[in-house]
């Protein structure tokens, strides 16, 4: 079983920062095209003369971006060659890890995920398994592929979140100041009877298992239950990802998500807030490009609650940044940029059920289709 929490994070950090794995230095937020053609100036024809008459050919000058692209392509090529040379020999597991690390640093995140996964499948290696989990998460349990078109007439309340500073990028998704958004639906996307059934299945499962889980997340612990661990809920959830949730997310962030089919669910779980257990969640940022909460019961079932954003204001407004709490009734959602600082507002009575969903975009910075390196390895 792959390590989790802080242990996994420490292992991956070690792998990606180890001197032996360090590829050329690049700007992490710059969009580097690994497959870009290097532009060169055409050489002018010069008159040949023994006396030196005529202009000498100009030397090719590369931009910083082109130099970086060349360096990264070279690092990937060298790491791939090194892996091929140690196939079925001692050190192959480390070669898989090194190749993945080079791809991460080059912005080829989908490719790195697949390299770590291929290595972990072949070797019982703790660091490869940790790296695979960090970049892939539980996405194989959830819908991957074509989705329905978003044709729903649901309206959304829109806010700029994160404040005046640039928030952290997530892989290929970067945010300029004033870009990050939070959207709260004004009506349900999912019928209430479906939400009621999910709550009933969760409570039944918790009774069978001796209670809800409370220690899975080191950063922001929740009283929860994995969606993937309850077959009936997982089947329903994947259907809703395909028909409703992924299309909705793509429609809210069209400049960041090219196609709903590119969205992956890194993790999803049901959270229970009540007066006997968890009541709130401290301010934090998520390890995801996009996050959202799906409300499973109505706001009339509890007091307080909601997703609390540390700094928010209306789009186009020059009003001071202020804290804002967004919420929805059963079947509604609050979707937002995962790197915007937020938390769970405290409830003061009743019980609140939600499904937090954490998503990333399955793409490489170069624009190359995911799988090109692994497929080349055979």
């Amino acid at each position: 079983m792959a390590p989790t929490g802080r242990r996994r994070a420490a292992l991956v950090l070690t792998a990606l920062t180890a001197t032996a794995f360090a590829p050329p230095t690049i700007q992490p937020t710059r969009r580097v095209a690994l497959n870009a053609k290097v532009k060169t100036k055409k050489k002018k024809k010069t008159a040949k003369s023994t006396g030196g008459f005529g202009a000498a050919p100009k030397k090719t000058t590369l931009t910083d971006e082109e130099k970086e692209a060349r360096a990264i392509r070279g690092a990937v090529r060298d790491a791939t060659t090194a892996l091929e040379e140690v196939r079925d020999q001692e050190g192959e597991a480390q070669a898989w890890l090194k190749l993945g690390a080079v791809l991460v640093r080059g912005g080829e995140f989908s490719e790195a995920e697949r390299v770590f996964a291929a290595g972990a499948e072949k070797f019982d290696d703790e660091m490869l398994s940790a790296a695979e989990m960090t970049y892939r998460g539980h996405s194989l349990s959830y819908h991957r592929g074509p989705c329905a078109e978003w044709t729903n007439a649901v309206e959304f309340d829109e806010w700029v979140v994160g404040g005046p500073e640039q928030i952290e990028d997530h892989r290929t998704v970067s945010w300029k100041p004033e870009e990050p958004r939070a959207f709260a639906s004004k009506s349900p996307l999912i019928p209430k009877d479906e939400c009621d059934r999910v709550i009933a299945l969760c409570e039944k499962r918790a009774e069978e298992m001796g209670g809800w889980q409370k220690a899975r997340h080191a950063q922001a612990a929740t009283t929860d239950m994995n969606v993937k661990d309850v077959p009936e809920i997982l089947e329903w959830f994947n259907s809703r990802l395909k028909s409703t949730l992924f299309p909705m997310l793509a429609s809210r962030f069209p400049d960041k998500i090219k196609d709903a089919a590119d969205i992956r669910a890194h993790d999803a779980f049901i959270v229970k807030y009540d007066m006997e257990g968890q009541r709130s969640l401290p301010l934090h940022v998520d390890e995801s490009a996009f996050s959202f909460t799906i409300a499973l019961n109505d706001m009339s079932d509890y007091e307080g609650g909601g997703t609390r954003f540390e700094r928010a204001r209306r789009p186009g407004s020059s009003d001071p940044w202020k804290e804002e709490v967004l919420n929805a009734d059963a079947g509604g959602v609050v979707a937002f940029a995962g790197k915007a600082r937020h938390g769970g507002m405290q409830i003061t009575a009743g019980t609140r059920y939600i499904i937090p969903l954490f998503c990333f975009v399955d793409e490489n910075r170069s624009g190359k289709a995911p799988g090109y390196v692994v497929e080349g390895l055979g």
Side-chain angles (χ1 to χ4, degrees), residues 306-323:
T307 303
R308 168 192 172 201
F309 292 92
E310 185 178 46
R311 292 190 288 183
R313 69 183 183 190
R314 294 292 187 180
S317 171
S318 58
D319 291 343
W321 296 92
K322 64 173 185 176
E323 181 176 287

Side-chain angles (χ1 to χ4, degrees), residues 83 86-87 91-101 114-116 118-120 122-123 128 374 377-378:
L83 173 58
V86 295
R87 279 293 183 93
E92 184 181 347
Q94 288 297 303
W96 282 101
L97 193 63
K98 178 178 179 178
L99 175 57
R114 286 160 174 77
V115 165
F116 289 138
K122 189 170 184 179
F123 298 96
L128 278 169
V374 173
L377 288 169

Side-chain angles (χ1 to χ4, degrees), residues 186-222:
K186 295 183 178 181
S187 57
L189 279 69
I190 298 171
K192 189 176 186 307
D193 63 331
E194 293 184 21
C195 298
D196 290 340
R197 180 171 177 269
V198 171
I199 292 173
L201 286 168
C202 283
E203 290 293 359
K204 179 183 177 183
R205 174 80 170 188
E207 185 177 351
E208 294 171 349
M209 300 298 292
W212 291 69
Q213 300 178 81
K214 297 183 178 180
R216 287 196 311 116
H217 304 101
Q219 182 185 16
T222 55

